[in-house]
Coordinates of all heavy atoms in Angstrom, one line a residue:
M1 N -2.4 -49.3 -19.3 CA -3.7 -49.4 -18.7 C -4.6 -50.3 -19.5 O -4.6 -50.3 -20.7 CB -4.4 -48.0 -18.6 CG -5.8 -48.0 -18.2 SD -6.5 -46.3 -18.2 CE -6.9 -46.2 -16.5
R2 N -5.3 -51.2 -18.8 CA -6.2 -52.2 -19.4 C -7.5 -52.1 -18.6 O -7.5 -52.2 -17.4 CB -5.6 -53.6 -19.4 CG -4.4 -53.7 -20.2 CD -3.8 -55.1 -20.1 NE -4.7 -56.1 -20.1 CZ -4.5 -57.4 -19.7 NH1 -3.3 -57.7 -19.3 NH2 -5.4 -58.3 -19.8
I3 N -8.6 -51.9 -19.4 CA -9.9 -51.9 -18.7 C -10.8 -52.9 -19.4 O -10.9 -52.9 -20.6 CB -10.6 -50.5 -18.9 CG1 -9.7 -49.4 -18.3 CG2 -12.0 -50.5 -18.3 CD1 -10.2 -48.0 -18.6
F4 N -11.3 -53.8 -18.6 CA -12.3 -54.8 -19.1 C -13.7 -54.2 -18.9 O -14.0 -53.7 -17.8 CB -12.2 -56.1 -18.3 CG -10.9 -56.8 -18.7 CD1 -9.8 -56.7 -17.8 CD2 -10.7 -57.6 -19.8 CE1 -8.6 -57.3 -18.1 CE2 -9.5 -58.2 -20.1 CZ -8.5 -58.1 -19.2
S5 N -14.5 -54.3 -19.9 CA -15.8 -53.6 -19.9 C -17.0 -54.5 -20.4 O -16.8 -55.2 -21.4 CB -15.7 -52.3 -20.7 OG -17.0 -51.7 -20.7
C6 N -18.1 -54.3 -19.7 CA -19.3 -54.9 -20.2 C -20.0 -53.9 -21.2 O -19.4 -52.8 -21.4 CB -20.3 -55.2 -19.1 SG -20.9 -53.7 -18.2
E7 N -21.1 -54.3 -21.8 CA -21.7 -53.4 -22.8 C -22.2 -52.1 -22.2 O -22.1 -51.0 -22.7 CB -22.9 -54.2 -23.4 CG -23.5 -53.5 -24.6 CD -22.7 -53.5 -25.9 OE1 -22.1 -54.6 -26.1 OE2 -22.6 -52.5 -26.6
T8 N -22.7 -52.2 -20.9 CA -23.2 -51.0 -20.2 C -22.1 -50.0 -19.9 O -22.4 -48.8 -20.0 CB -23.8 -51.5 -18.9 OG1 -24.8 -52.4 -19.1 CG2 -24.4 -50.3 -18.1
H9 N -20.9 -50.4 -19.6 CA -19.9 -49.5 -19.2 C -18.8 -49.1 -20.3 O -17.8 -48.5 -20.0 CB -19.2 -50.1 -18.0 CG -20.0 -50.1 -16.8 ND1 -20.6 -51.2 -16.2 CD2 -20.5 -49.0 -16.0 CE1 -21.3 -50.9 -15.2 NE2 -21.3 -49.6 -15.1
I10 N -19.0 -49.6 -21.5 CA -18.0 -49.3 -22.5 C -17.7 -47.8 -22.8 O -16.5 -47.4 -22.9 CB -18.3 -50.1 -23.8 CG1 -17.0 -50.0 -24.8 CG2 -19.5 -49.6 -24.5 CD1 -15.8 -50.6 -24.2
N11 N -18.7 -47.0 -22.8 CA -18.5 -45.6 -23.0 C -17.7 -45.0 -21.9 O -16.8 -44.2 -22.1 CB -19.8 -44.9 -23.2 CG -20.4 -45.2 -24.6 OD1 -19.8 -45.5 -25.5 ND2 -21.8 -45.1 -24.6
H12 N -18.0 -45.4 -20.7 CA -17.3 -44.9 -19.5 C -15.8 -45.3 -19.5 O -14.9 -44.5 -19.3 CB -18.0 -45.4 -18.2 CG -17.3 -44.9 -17.0 ND1 -17.3 -43.6 -16.6 CD2 -16.6 -45.6 -16.0 CE1 -16.6 -43.5 -15.4 NE2 -16.2 -44.7 -15.1
A13 N -15.6 -46.6 -19.9 CA -14.2 -47.1 -20.0 C -13.4 -46.3 -21.0 O -12.3 -46.0 -20.8 CB -14.3 -48.6 -20.4
L14 N -14.0 -46.1 -22.2 CA -13.3 -45.3 -23.2 C -13.0 -43.9 -22.7 O -11.9 -43.4 -22.9 CB -14.1 -45.2 -24.5 CG -14.3 -46.6 -25.2 CD1 -15.4 -46.5 -26.3 CD2 -13.0 -47.0 -25.8
D15 N -14.0 -43.2 -22.0 CA -13.8 -41.9 -21.5 C -12.6 -41.9 -20.5 O -11.8 -41.0 -20.5 CB -15.0 -41.3 -20.9 CG -16.1 -41.0 -21.9 OD1 -15.8 -40.9 -23.1 OD2 -17.3 -40.8 -21.5
I16 N -12.7 -42.8 -19.6 CA -11.6 -42.9 -18.5 C -10.3 -43.1 -19.1 O -9.3 -42.5 -18.7 CB -12.0 -44.0 -17.5 CG1 -13.2 -43.6 -16.7 CG2 -10.8 -44.3 -16.6 CD1 -13.1 -42.4 -15.8
F17 N -10.2 -44.0 -20.1 CA -8.9 -44.3 -20.7 C -8.3 -43.0 -21.4 O -7.1 -42.7 -21.1 CB -9.0 -45.4 -21.8 CG -7.7 -45.8 -22.3 CD1 -7.1 -46.9 -21.8 CD2 -7.1 -45.1 -23.4 CE1 -5.8 -47.4 -22.3 CE2 -5.9 -45.5 -23.8 CZ -5.2 -46.6 -23.3
V18 N -9.1 -42.3 -22.1 CA -8.6 -41.1 -22.8 C -8.2 -40.0 -21.8 O -7.2 -39.4 -22.0 CB -9.7 -40.6 -23.8 CG1 -9.3 -39.2 -24.4 CG2 -9.9 -41.6 -25.0
A19 N -9.0 -39.9 -20.8 CA -8.7 -38.8 -19.8 C -7.4 -39.1 -19.0 O -6.7 -38.2 -18.8 CB -9.9 -38.8 -18.8
E20 N -7.2 -40.4 -18.7 CA -6.0 -40.7 -17.9 C -4.8 -40.9 -18.8 O -3.7 -40.6 -18.4 CB -6.3 -42.0 -17.1 CG -7.3 -41.7 -16.0 CD -7.5 -42.9 -15.0 OE1 -6.7 -43.8 -15.1 OE2 -8.4 -42.9 -14.2
E21 N -4.9 -41.5 -19.9 CA -3.7 -41.8 -20.8 C -3.4 -40.8 -21.8 O -2.4 -40.8 -22.4 CB -4.0 -43.2 -21.5 CG -4.1 -44.3 -20.5 CD -2.9 -44.6 -19.7 OE1 -1.8 -44.6 -20.3 OE2 -3.0 -44.9 -18.5
K22 N -4.4 -39.9 -22.1 CA -4.2 -38.8 -23.0 C -3.9 -39.3 -24.4 O -3.1 -38.7 -25.2 CB -3.0 -37.8 -22.6 CG -3.2 -37.3 -21.2 CD -4.3 -36.3 -21.1 CE -4.2 -35.6 -19.7 NZ -5.3 -35.9 -18.8
T23 N -4.4 -40.4 -24.8 CA -4.3 -41.0 -26.1 C -5.5 -41.9 -26.4 O -6.3 -42.2 -25.4 CB -3.0 -41.9 -26.2 OG1 -2.8 -42.3 -27.6 CG2 -3.0 -43.1 -25.3
F24 N -5.7 -42.2 -27.6 CA -6.9 -43.1 -28.0 C -6.5 -44.5 -27.7 O -5.4 -45.0 -28.1 CB -7.3 -42.8 -29.4 CG -7.8 -41.5 -29.6 CD1 -7.1 -40.5 -30.2 CD2 -9.1 -41.1 -29.1 CE1 -7.6 -39.2 -30.4 CE2 -9.6 -39.9 -29.3 CZ -8.9 -38.9 -29.9
P25 N -7.5 -45.3 -27.2 CA -7.2 -46.7 -27.0 C -7.7 -47.6 -28.2 O -8.3 -47.1 -29.1 CB -8.2 -47.0 -25.8 CG -9.3 -46.1 -26.1 CD -8.7 -44.8 -26.6
V26 N -7.3 -48.8 -28.1 CA -7.8 -49.9 -29.0 C -8.9 -50.6 -28.2 O -8.7 -50.9 -27.0 CB -6.7 -50.8 -29.4 CG1 -7.3 -52.0 -30.2 CG2 -5.7 -50.1 -30.2
M27 N -10.0 -50.8 -28.8 CA -11.1 -51.6 -28.2 C -11.3 -52.9 -28.9 O -11.5 -52.9 -30.1 CB -12.4 -50.8 -28.3 CG -13.6 -51.4 -27.6 SD -15.1 -50.4 -27.7 CE -15.7 -51.0 -29.3
E28 N -11.1 -54.0 -28.2 CA -11.1 -55.3 -28.8 C -12.2 -56.1 -28.1 O -12.4 -56.0 -26.9 CB -9.8 -56.1 -28.6 CG -8.7 -55.5 -29.4 CD -7.5 -56.4 -29.5 OE1 -7.7 -57.6 -29.6 OE2 -6.4 -55.9 -29.3
K29 N -13.0 -56.8 -28.9 CA -14.0 -57.7 -28.4 C -13.3 -59.0 -27.9 O -12.5 -59.6 -28.6 CB -15.1 -58.0 -29.4 CG -16.2 -58.8 -28.9 CD -17.4 -58.8 -29.8 CE -18.6 -59.4 -29.1 NZ -19.8 -59.3 -29.9
L30 N -13.6 -59.4 -26.7 CA -13.1 -60.6 -26.1 C -13.7 -61.8 -26.7 O -14.9 -61.8 -27.0 CB -13.3 -60.6 -24.6 CG -12.7 -59.5 -23.8 CD1 -13.1 -59.6 -22.3 CD2 -11.2 -59.5 -23.9
N31 N -12.9 -62.9 -26.8 CA -13.5 -64.1 -27.3 C -14.4 -64.7 -26.2 O -14.4 -64.3 -25.1 CB -12.4 -65.1 -27.7 CG -11.6 -65.6 -26.6 OD1 -12.0 -65.7 -25.5 ND2 -10.3 -66.0 -26.9
E32 N -15.3 -65.7 -26.6 CA -16.3 -66.2 -25.7 C -15.7 -66.8 -24.4 O -16.2 -66.6 -23.3 CB -17.1 -67.2 -26.4 CG -18.4 -67.6 -25.6 CD -19.3 -68.5 -26.4 OE1 -19.5 -68.3 -27.6 OE2 -19.8 -69.5 -25.9
E33 N -14.6 -67.5 -24.5 CA -13.9 -68.1 -23.3 C -13.5 -67.0 -22.4 O -13.7 -67.1 -21.2 CB -12.8 -69.0 -23.8 CG -12.1 -69.6 -22.6 CD -10.9 -70.5 -23.1 OE1 -11.1 -71.2 -24.1 OE2 -9.8 -70.4 -22.5
K34 N -12.9 -66.0 -22.9 CA -12.3 -64.9 -22.1 C -13.5 -64.1 -21.4 O -13.4 -63.7 -20.3 CB -11.5 -64.0 -23.0 CG -10.7 -63.0 -22.2 CD -9.4 -63.6 -21.7 CE -8.4 -62.5 -21.3 NZ -7.3 -62.9 -20.6
Q35 N -14.6 -64.0 -22.2 CA -15.8 -63.3 -21.6 C -16.3 -64.0 -20.4 O -16.7 -63.4 -19.4 CB -16.9 -63.2 -22.6 CG -16.7 -62.2 -23.8 CD -17.8 -62.2 -24.8 OE1 -18.9 -62.6 -24.5 NE2 -17.5 -61.7 -26.0
L36 N -16.3 -65.3 -20.4 CA -16.9 -66.1 -19.3 C -16.0 -66.0 -18.1 O -16.5 -66.1 -16.9 CB -17.0 -67.6 -19.7 CG -18.0 -67.8 -20.8 CD1 -18.0 -69.3 -21.2 CD2 -19.4 -67.5 -20.3
S37 N -14.7 -65.8 -18.2 CA -13.8 -65.8 -17.1 C -13.4 -64.4 -16.6 O -12.6 -64.3 -15.7 CB -12.5 -66.6 -17.4 OG -11.8 -66.0 -18.5
T38 N -13.8 -63.3 -17.3 CA -13.4 -62.0 -17.0 C -14.6 -61.1 -16.6 O -15.5 -61.0 -17.4 CB -12.6 -61.4 -18.2 OG1 -11.6 -62.3 -18.6 CG2 -12.0 -60.0 -17.8
S39 N -14.5 -60.4 -15.5 CA -15.5 -59.5 -15.1 C -15.2 -58.0 -15.5 O -14.1 -57.7 -15.7 CB -15.7 -59.5 -13.6 OG -16.1 -60.7 -13.1
C40 N -16.3 -57.3 -15.7 CA -16.2 -55.9 -16.0 C -15.4 -55.2 -14.9 O -15.6 -55.5 -13.7 CB -17.6 -55.3 -16.2 SG -17.6 -53.5 -16.4
T41 N -14.6 -54.2 -15.2 CA -13.9 -53.4 -14.2 C -14.8 -52.6 -13.3 O -14.5 -52.4 -12.1 CB -12.9 -52.4 -14.9 OG1 -12.0 -53.2 -15.7 CG2 -12.1 -51.6 -13.9
Y42 N -16.0 -52.3 -13.8 CA -17.0 -51.4 -13.1 C -18.1 -52.1 -12.4 O -18.9 -51.5 -11.7 CB -17.5 -50.3 -14.0 CG -16.3 -49.6 -14.6 CD1 -16.0 -49.8 -15.9 CD2 -15.6 -48.7 -13.9 CE1 -14.9 -49.1 -16.5 CE2 -14.5 -48.0 -14.4 CZ -14.2 -48.2 -15.7 OH -13.1 -47.5 -16.3
C43 N -18.3 -53.4 -12.7 CA -19.5 -54.2 -12.1 C -19.1 -55.7 -12.2 O -18.0 -56.0 -12.5 CB -20.8 -53.9 -12.8 SG -20.9 -54.5 -14.5
N44 N -20.0 -56.5 -11.8 CA -19.8 -57.9 -11.8 C -20.2 -58.7 -13.0 O -20.2 -59.9 -13.1 CB -20.5 -58.6 -10.5 CG -19.8 -58.1 -9.2 OD1 -18.6 -58.0 -9.2 ND2 -20.6 -58.0 -8.2
N45 N -20.7 -57.9 -14.0 CA -21.1 -58.6 -15.3 C -19.9 -59.1 -16.0 O -18.8 -58.6 -15.8 CB -21.9 -57.6 -16.1 CG -23.2 -57.2 -15.5 OD1 -23.8 -58.0 -14.8 ND2 -23.7 -56.0 -15.9
S46 N -20.1 -60.0 -16.9 CA -19.0 -60.5 -17.8 C -18.5 -59.4 -18.7 O -19.3 -58.6 -19.3 CB -19.5 -61.6 -18.7 OG -19.8 -62.7 -17.9
A47 N -17.2 -59.3 -18.8 CA -16.6 -58.3 -19.7 C -16.8 -58.8 -21.2 O -16.7 -60.0 -21.5 CB -15.1 -58.1 -19.4
I48 N -17.1 -57.8 -22.0 CA -17.2 -58.1 -23.5 C -16.0 -57.5 -24.2 O -15.6 -58.0 -25.3 CB -18.5 -57.6 -24.0 CG1 -19.7 -58.3 -23.3 CG2 -18.6 -57.7 -25.5 CD1 -21.0 -57.8 -23.6
Y49 N -15.5 -56.4 -23.7 CA -14.5 -55.6 -24.4 C -13.2 -55.4 -23.5 O -13.3 -55.3 -22.3 CB -15.0 -54.2 -24.8 CG -16.2 -54.3 -25.7 CD1 -17.4 -54.0 -25.2 CD2 -16.0 -54.6 -27.0 CE1 -18.5 -54.0 -26.0 CE2 -17.1 -54.6 -27.9 CZ -18.4 -54.3 -27.4 OH -19.5 -54.4 -28.2
L50 N -12.1 -55.3 -24.2 CA -10.9 -54.9 -23.5 C -10.5 -53.5 -24.2 O -10.4 -53.4 -25.4 CB -9.7 -55.9 -23.8 CG -8.3 -55.4 -23.3 CD1 -8.3 -55.2 -21.8 CD2 -7.3 -56.4 -23.8
V51 N -10.3 -52.5 -23.3 CA -9.9 -51.2 -23.8 C -8.4 -51.1 -23.3 O -8.2 -51.2 -22.1 CB -10.7 -50.1 -23.2 CG1 -10.2 -48.7 -23.5 CG2 -12.2 -50.3 -23.6
A52 N -7.5 -50.9 -24.2 CA -6.1 -50.9 -23.8 C -5.2 -50.1 -24.9 O -5.8 -49.7 -25.9 CB -5.6 -52.3 -23.8
H53 N -3.9 -50.0 -24.6 CA -3.0 -49.4 -25.5 C -2.9 -50.3 -26.7 O -3.0 -51.5 -26.7 CB -1.6 -49.2 -24.9 CG -1.6 -48.2 -23.8 ND1 -1.5 -46.9 -24.1 CD2 -1.6 -48.3 -22.5 CE1 -1.5 -46.2 -23.0 NE2 -1.6 -47.0 -22.0
E54 N -2.6 -49.7 -27.9 CA -2.5 -50.4 -29.1 C -1.4 -51.5 -29.0 O -1.5 -52.6 -29.6 CB -2.2 -49.5 -30.3 CG -2.2 -50.1 -31.6 CD -2.0 -49.1 -32.7 OE1 -1.9 -47.9 -32.5 OE2 -2.0 -49.6 -33.9
N55 N -0.3 -51.2 -28.3 CA 0.8 -52.2 -28.3 C 0.7 -53.2 -27.1 O 1.6 -53.9 -26.8 CB 2.1 -51.4 -28.2 CG 2.2 -50.6 -27.0 OD1 1.3 -50.4 -26.2 ND2 3.4 -49.9 -26.8
D56 N -0.5 -53.2 -26.4 CA -0.7 -54.1 -25.3 C -0.8 -55.5 -25.9 O -1.7 -55.8 -26.7 CB -2.0 -53.8 -24.6 CG -2.1 -54.5 -23.3 OD1 -1.3 -55.3 -23.0 OD2 -3.1 -54.2 -22.6
D57 N 0.1 -56.4 -25.6 CA 0.1 -57.7 -26.2 C -0.7 -58.8 -25.4 O -0.2 -59.7 -24.8 CB 1.6 -58.2 -26.4 CG 2.3 -58.4 -25.1 OD1 1.8 -58.0 -24.0 OD2 3.4 -59.0 -25.1
T58 N -2.0 -58.6 -25.5 CA -2.9 -59.5 -24.9 C -3.6 -60.3 -26.0 O -3.7 -59.9 -27.2 CB -4.0 -58.8 -24.1 OG1 -4.7 -57.9 -24.9 CG2 -3.4 -58.1 -22.9
T59 N -4.1 -61.5 -25.7 CA -4.8 -62.3 -26.7 C -6.3 -62.3 -26.3 O -6.7 -62.8 -25.3 CB -4.3 -63.8 -26.7 OG1 -2.9 -63.7 -26.9 CG2 -4.9 -64.6 -27.7
C60 N -7.0 -61.7 -27.2 CA -8.5 -61.5 -27.0 C -9.3 -62.4 -27.9 O -10.4 -62.6 -27.7 CB -8.9 -60.1 -27.2 SG -8.2 -59.0 -26.0
R61 N -8.6 -62.9 -28.9 CA -9.4 -63.7 -29.9 C -9.5 -65.1 -29.6 O -8.8 -65.8 -28.9 CB -8.7 -63.5 -31.3 CG -8.7 -62.1 -31.6 CD -8.0 -61.8 -33.0 NE -8.0 -60.5 -33.2 CZ -7.1 -59.6 -33.0 NH1 -5.9 -60.0 -32.5 NH2 -7.2 -58.3 -33.3

């Protein structure tokens, strides 16, 4: 599971991840380029964070 989140929805994203996955996620701040091209899962604002499994091999930096 991967959730992209803006500042407003980060707490909701963390809660949903824990409830559905039954484990703690890793929260990574997206780099500026990725922020500009990625929307929040819950609204149309730019995503600032990725909430995902620790072994999710995405590049956020």
